Amino acid sequence: MNDEKKLLNVTIDGVELEVPAGTTILAAAERVGAVIPRYCYHPGLSAPAVCRMCLVEVEGAPKPLASCVQPVQDDMVVHTNTAQARKARRAAVEFLLMNHPLDCPICDAAGQCELQDYAFETGQLKTRYVEPKLVMGRDKVTPEIVYFADRCILCTRCVRFMDEIAKDPVLVVINRGQRGYIDTMTGELFENPFSINIVDVCPVGALVNEDFLFKARAWDLDQTASICPGCSQGCNVSLGTKEERIVRAKPRFNPEVNSYWMCDHGRKTVINWGAGARIEVPMARDGDELKPVDWPQALDALSEAIGNEPGRARAIVSAGASNESLFTLRRLMEELGSDGGVFRVPTGPEAELPGFPKLKLRRDRVPNAKGAELLGFQRSDAVFDSAQGHRGALFVLEDTLEGAPDGFGTNAELFVYIGTRLNPAARSADIVLPSTTFAEMAGTFTNFEGRVQRFEQALRGPGLARPWWLTGSALLERLGAGGRYRTAAEVFAALASEVSEYEGLNYEVLGLKGAGAPGSSAAATAG
Amino acid sequence: MPIGVKTVDRPEVESSYLRATLKGMALTFKHLVRPVTASQQYPEEKYEVSPRWRGTHRMAVHVDGRAKCVACGLCPTVCPANCIKLIPAEDENGERYAAVYEIDEFRCIFCGYCQEVCPVEAIHVGVHYENAEYSRERFVYDLERLCAQKHPFTQLWDPEDPASE
């Protein structure tokens, strides 16, 4: 049988199309733009057809069919929005709302709740159910996830995520019918490094992350496409920001990297990233103390110091800095004569997601170690050793300098600290330049397999903080070393023309899903 | 051409101030003995306003004095003047409540949308118009102050005419 190659004719809402055999009606309908409501169906999970929301009318079929599991047959004629289909769905919503508390005003899912949407759309504004609603209360399923049993519609997405993707079948539906609820078999809390995905898959507000509970309304958040900085996997995320804070990160679908999922570590890392005390103004040394200056003064001081020929340059960079920033620093160091730079990589235990083996919480807990390596920086466990006795120019780019030895950088002729927070060790710098976090600028990270992925600016930087590639390129222009870059895309274009691993890449090629650098293992999969 | 000055002869009777003064005094004496009060004696006498008058806000409270607000965030969302600040939080019973709830009455345009949108009928605009304060800061009403207001709630619909809803 060559079923997979066979194309079937199907008519959906009057539109004829050809789909491969085995396609479900729901998937085929999506191709013609017909939106079929669904709760239990999730593209990343199996479909048990328990919610009965995706019922459609098929000509010749005695009753409406569940489109999420029904494969298309040849010459099938499907109507997704006829009176019969609508009536069937309306009845399904009415049953789901029977015991649903309708506490939308205090429910965290309001605004992103599929039940709310369809109940409103189908006009279920009054109930015919006269019995008192069943009240079941709330419980925790993990230390961080709260379960509101009343709101649950028993779609079993969370159960199936734990079964099929996490391969850790801890969740079950307990009891039957309207008394059914989700819990672990023993009632104990469970822990799994990917557990918060069950909050994402929940179509209603039954499973809620404590980190986000009552924090913000869904419609208050600004969503920005970004990359998780938690490890070298580089999960595609969309950052939810409110009032210049990152409130949450949700996975953004990318079949090559993280599918629909991401780990709990990443989500927790990214919340409030960059909040708190920051370096907000450039500072230049005046005798014994660092004096705040404005940007032109800072650049004057820096270009003057560089003009005094401090000697060859060494650097300690952070593997959390973007490719653009690292490249700009490399250019600057080449002007002075580069002695190379080092970066350190904090590590942690690895965790994998068996149902989607491409996605792991990687050992390297930084997003851009590979990118730093490709730009010629050395990975090192003892980053301070090489810099300690250095007498020339010393640059520190976004490294926290935590654990730096006493008197770090005092030997250097010129010590420039570019970063976000002023560690005591950074106070001995000659010039301190405030830079931005990944969320406060656009840029790219290169993940563990060499896949280059873009992230967009979600927040404003504090005070006068600017991305280092912006200030760095202004400085290079003053030194007469190349043009000034005004956007991250321009820096990346220059980078791609200079570094062979990035050849042929630019921001348009990368798009929102990223692309593998040629010659890397990602190139084969990215195509 | 020279500018000419024209002198108009006025009749003495009409141009005399004496006559007008006496006329005025007569009116004054008339009102002394039989006063006609067309003006309102504010503040002793308050102005009667419509039950649908939209004045400064008031928060409804439970019997135990807690605000009825569940911090759902609909009023700051609907507010066209952006005058409501709300920070939700979780209390010891796991209930959602407003940790911070402030209305800037200077910014408010008194449209009454907040009252209309409130799902628990907590925030109301009120039948109230005496708002004078000694400082501008006092016009940012916090939750405590909103709960302490005593004026009647605004009727969104004409109470006489149920069809108006």
Side-chain angles (χ1 to χ4, degrees):
Chain A
M1 291 284 281
N2 56 347
D3 260 0
E4 277 171 308
K5 285 181 192 128
K6 207 170 143 196
L7 288 177
L8 304 176
N9 289 314
V10 57
T11 310
I12 295 172
D13 289 349
V15 184
E16 284 184 37
L17 76 159
E18 280 190 337
V19 291
T23 311
T24 59
I25 298 177
L26 191 141
E30 272 178 359
R31 284 181 47 184
V32 300
V35 178
I36 301 176
R38 78 291 298 265
Y39 296 128
C40 67
Y41 171 82
H42 185 280
L45 302 170
S46 69
V50 294
C51 72
R52 315 312 288 174
M53 266 313 282
C54 63
L55 295 172
V56 293
E57 190 183 343
V58 176
E59 278 184 19
K63 56 181 182 175
L65 300 177
S67 62
C68 67
V69 287
Q70 186 68 44
V72 166
Q73 285 159 12
D74 214 5
D75 298 326
M76 206 179 220
V77 181
V78 181
H79 302 287
T80 66
N81 207 11
T82 55
Q84 192 198 16
R86 277 205 306 272
K87 194 179 156 202
R89 281 184 221 144
R90 209 185 143 91
V93 173
E94 193 169 6
F95 270 122
L96 292 175
L97 289 179
M98 212 167 74
N99 283 312
H100 191 86
L102 286 174
D103 56 349
C104 306
I106 55 164
C107 174
D108 270 315
Q112 57 183 18
C113 171
E114 295 165 37
L115 186 61
Q116 193 182 31
D117 293 350
Y118 297 136
F120 198 76
E121 201 175 290
T122 53
Q124 304 275 325
L125 301 177
K126 294 248 158 63
T127 178
R128 291 187 289 167
Y129 188 60
V130 290
E131 306 295 323
K133 292 197 176 197
L134 212 61
V135 177
M136 298 206 273
R138 63 190 251 180
D139 192 10
K140 281 190 164 185
V141 289
T142 78
E144 285 138 9
I145 301 174
V146 188
Y147 173 64
F148 292 84
D150 304 325
R151 295 176 189 161
C152 182
I153 57 169
L154 295 178
C155 69
T156 70
R157 276 189 195 179
C158 50
V159 176
R160 280 173 288 134
F161 172 81
M162 294 310 294
D163 279 4
E164 297 164 10
I165 308 295
K167 306 259 188 210
D168 182 13
V170 285
L171 289 178
V172 285
V173 182
I174 294 181
N175 291 345
R176 286 291 171 270
Q178 64 172 1
R179 287 187 180 73
Y181 62 96
I182 307 285
D183 204 348
T184 52
M185 200 63 208
T186 54
E188 287 166 4
L189 304 186
F190 76 95
E191 282 190 52
N192 185 292
F194 290 88
S195 61
I196 299 178
N197 285 306
I198 66 175
V199 175
D200 288 344
V201 295
C202 186
V204 294
L207 290 164
V208 181
N209 187 352
E210 278 237 303
D211 264 352
F212 187 66
L213 191 66
F214 303 158
K215 284 268 173 64
R217 304 321 306 257
W219 60 82
D220 279 343
L221 298 178
D222 293 322
Q223 305 286 348
T224 312
S226 190
I227 300 296
C228 174
C231 78
S232 58
Q233 174 77 24
C235 284
N236 291 211
V237 297
S238 92
L239 294 181
T241 53
K242 185 188 171 192
E243 289 162 7
E244 300 300 319
R245 286 285 177 100
I246 301 176
V247 183
R248 70 173 176 191
K250 285 217 169 235
R252 186 159 55 85
F253 176 64
N254 188 336
E256 303 300 334
V257 181
N258 60 320
S259 184
Y260 299 94
W261 325 116
M262 71 182 284
C263 71
D264 298 2
H265 168 78
R267 291 178 205 257
K268 276 179 235 162
T269 313
V270 89
I271 290 173
N272 283 341
W273 182 283
R278 292 273 298 270
I279 309 176
E280 295 190 5
V281 287
M283 287 180 275
R285 181 155 298 282
D286 181 15
D288 275 349
E289 53 179 337
L290 283 168
K291 282 252 172 79
V293 291
D294 60 16
W295 274 113
Q297 286 172 324
L299 291 181
D300 284 345
L302 193 51
S303 52
E304 193 191 320
I306 288 172
N308 290 340
E309 297 189 351
R312 296 180 69 82
R314 262 185 212 176
I316 296 177
V317 300
S318 157
S322 73
N323 284 325
E324 286 74 7
S325 292
L326 290 169
F327 174 71
T328 311
L329 182 67
R330 190 176 103 156
R331 286 279 308 277
L332 182 62
M333 286 167 66
E334 279 164 0
E335 282 303 304
L336 288 162
S338 174
D339 263 356
V342 288
F343 64 91
R344 53 178 167 176
V345 176
T347 55
E350 199 169 85
E352 57 179 80
L353 187 61
F356 187 76
K358 275 181 198 163
L359 172 59
K360 278 181 190 168
L361 168 59
R362 305 277 162 185
R363 263 174 56 75
D364 296 352
R365 295 292 164 80
V366 284
N368 204 22
K370 179 82 177 176
E373 241 163 53
L374 290 177
L375 284 167
F377 296 97
Q378 305 286 324
R379 182 175 176 145
S380 163
D381 289 331
V383 284
F384 299 116
D385 289 359
S386 67
Q388 188 59 345
H390 183 60
R391 297 205 166 275
L394 174 64
F395 292 92
V396 177
L397 174 63
E398 288 172 23
D399 191 282
T400 53
L401 288 187
E402 216 146 282
D406 285 345
F408 172 79
T410 42
N411 287 335
E413 189 68 26
L414 169 67
F415 174 18
V416 183
Y417 183 77
I418 307 146
T420 52
R421 293 182 208 266
L422 201 59
N423 187 285
R427 288 184 189 276
S428 53
D430 298 310
I431 293 169
V432 173
L433 303 177
S435 73
T436 54
T437 68
F438 81 101
E440 293 156 4
M441 64 184 193
T444 58
F445 286 147
T446 307
N447 83 349
F448 72 102
E449 53 177 358
R451 187 184 183 83
V452 190
Q453 303 189 101
R454 275 171 65 187
F455 51 86
E456 299 286 342
Q457 179 175 1
L459 306 172
R460 271 181 307 171
L464 297 179
R466 303 270 184 277
W468 159 245
W469 60 259
L470 191 65
T471 46
S473 68
L475 183 67
L476 283 168
E477 193 191 30
R478 279 181 187 225
L479 298 173
R484 178 167 179 186
Y485 307 120
R486 284 178 177 78
T487 64
E490 286 174 29
V491 189
F492 190 79
L495 184 159
S497 66
E498 227 173 89
V499 183
S500 64
E501 282 87 350
Y502 294 103
E503 205 181 327
L505 294 181
N506 60 42
Y507 266 33
E508 268 172 35
V509 173
L510 296 181
L512 279 176
K513 299 259 188 255
S520 72
S521 55
T525 48
Chain B
M1 197 178 118
I3 299 169
V5 178
K6 191 178 175 191
T7 310
V8 183
D9 289 330
R10 292 183 192 277
E12 290 250 317
V13 188
E14 277 173 38
S15 59
S16 158
Y17 292 109
L18 188 66
R19 190 186 156 90
T21 309
L22 288 176
K23 227 173 158 182
M25 291 308 283
L27 188 70
T28 308
F29 280 113
K30 198 172 122 198
H31 283 291
L32 265 180
V33 289
R34 194 188 293 163
V36 180
T37 50
S39 60
Q40 196 162 356
Q41 297 304 303
Y42 185 83
E44 283 80 25
E45 247 175 65
K46 304 284 187 191
Y47 186 63
E48 275 289 310
V49 291
S50 155
R52 295 171 66 195
W53 170 278
R54 298 192 300 266
T56 46
H57 296 80
R58 177 182 160 191
M59 173 71 77
V61 292
H62 289 291
V63 274
D64 60 357
R66 271 183 313 126
K68 278 191 175 173
C69 176
V70 294
C72 70
L74 288 183
C75 47
T77 304
V78 77
C79 180
N82 256 345
C83 69
I84 305 178
K85 178 182 178 184
L86 167 67
I87 296 175
E90 190 178 358
D91 69 9
E92 60 276 11
N93 303 324
E95 305 271 328
R96 191 181 176 120
Y97 79 106
V100 175
Y101 190 97
E102 288 175 0
I103 297 185
D104 187 339
E105 301 289 352
F106 271 150
R107 266 194 172 209
C108 179
I109 58 165
F110 301 101
C111 62
Y113 281 4
C114 48
Q115 175 173 356
E116 206 167 324
V117 80
C118 185
V120 290
E121 294 180 3
I123 190 67
H124 292 79
V125 276
V127 184
H128 182 68
Y129 52 85
E130 291 168 312
N131 302 315
E133 294 288 354
Y134 286 105
S135 75
R136 298 184 70 84
E137 291 76 38
R138 289 274 297 159
F139 277 93
V140 179
Y141 286 18
D142 60 8
L143 190 57
E144 203 181 326
R145 180 132 174 241
L146 287 165
C147 290
Q149 303 291 320
K150 289 282 175 264
H151 53 254
F153 298 138
T154 298
Q155 306 290 316
L156 284 180
W157 332 113
D158 187 350
E160 307 289 309
D161 177 16
S164 65
E165 184 176 350

